[in-house]
Amino acid sequence: MSPAPMSSAPVSVAQPRWIPWVLYPAGDGIAQLILGEVSIPRLLALALVGGLVYQAETPRWFRWLDQWRLSPAMAQQWPWRWLTQPAQPHQVQYRLNWIGRMLGSMSFFSPPWIARHMLILKLSTTPWHQIALTSALPELWLVACKSFLTNLPISIVGNYIIQARFPLQYRFWGSICMSGIMGIAFALAYRFF
């Protein structure tokens, strides 16, 4: 059950490199407006993380999910074979079907990812001398878990649309749009949880 190696090749659709720099902080900016507290350092931090980190890791993860393969022998032994389908008609390898890709996508945008995102929010809005990571990290972990569970219906629907309806080259764009929506949800969770 060896998945295909993660490719570092760019997504085949030409995408303006500035879009993630703008759209990732846009969702959080909307949430800030709703909450009545706009933070320029927070918007800048999310622009940097969106442009430098999320833009690199998200398409790579989607490619990896799309390229993941099992041999027929491994597929028969694998207990979750309902998550696979033949890679091509009359082909011997199996790949993840849309359910497998959807669950794989949700495993990526899971409580650890949300906690990291919320840590970025905290570091960008709190004076550094007031941050006590020993107390902040467990608190952020709890908020991330609550946020993940609370937003699970939105995440399931969004990931279904991205993984089942979009071709690979457009999944990153779908993810950016969903991240804007989830950014609002995460910002609200950060405030209320």
Side-chain angles (χ1 to χ4, degrees):
M1 178 169 67
S2 63
M6 293 179 89
S7 168
S8 60
V11 175
S12 61
V13 170
Q15 51 189 354
R17 304 294 286 173
W18 60 268
I19 295 288
W21 292 81
V22 173
L23 290 183
Y24 278 111
D28 189 72
I30 292 168
Q32 289 182 45
L33 290 173
I34 291 169
L35 296 172
E37 49 188 47
V38 176
S39 168
I40 299 300
R42 179 170 156 165
L43 291 173
L44 292 174
L46 287 176
L48 283 171
V49 170
L52 298 174
V53 178
Y54 298 165
Q55 181 169 211
E57 70 185 10
T58 305
R60 248 182 125 191
W61 182 255
F62 289 160
R63 276 193 304 277
W64 183 80
L65 289 174
D66 203 58
Q67 294 170 357
W68 190 83
R69 299 288 187 267
L70 279 175
S71 70
M74 291 301 288
Q76 294 304 318
Q77 296 173 4
W78 200 44
W80 302 289
R81 56 183 170 267
W82 55 275
L83 298 174
T84 63
Q85 66 186 30
Q88 296 290 333
H90 312 295
Q91 209 178 38
V92 295
Q93 284 190 327
Y94 286 79
R95 67 181 179 100
L96 292 174
N97 60 19
W98 67 268
I99 299 170
R101 290 191 316 269
M102 180 184 76
L103 293 175
S105 179
M106 290 176 64
S107 72
F108 181 74
F109 297 107
S110 61
W113 190 93
I114 297 168
R116 178 185 70 173
H117 183 79
M118 293 194 176
L119 179 62
I120 293 164
L121 297 181
K122 185 162 195 70
L123 292 174
S124 65
T125 58
T126 307
W128 288 51
H129 67 279
Q130 293 179 3
I131 297 174
L133 287 179
T134 55
S135 63
L137 293 178
E139 173 190 327
L140 291 174
W141 178 252
L142 182 63
V143 171
C145 290
K146 287 180 181 179
S147 180
F148 179 78
L149 292 174
T150 303
N151 294 303
L152 203 53
I154 298 168
S155 182
I156 289 171
V157 171
N159 280 297
Y160 163 75
I161 292 169
I162 293 167
Q163 297 299 325
R165 300 294 177 203
F166 289 9
L168 176 61
Q169 64 266 28
Y170 295 111
R171 289 184 195 147
F172 178 58
W173 291 99
S175 176
I176 289 176
C177 293
M178 185 173 151
S179 291
I181 294 167
M182 295 305 284
I184 296 168
F186 293 154
L188 294 173
Y190 179 70
R191 172 70 178 272
F192 296 113
F193 288 137

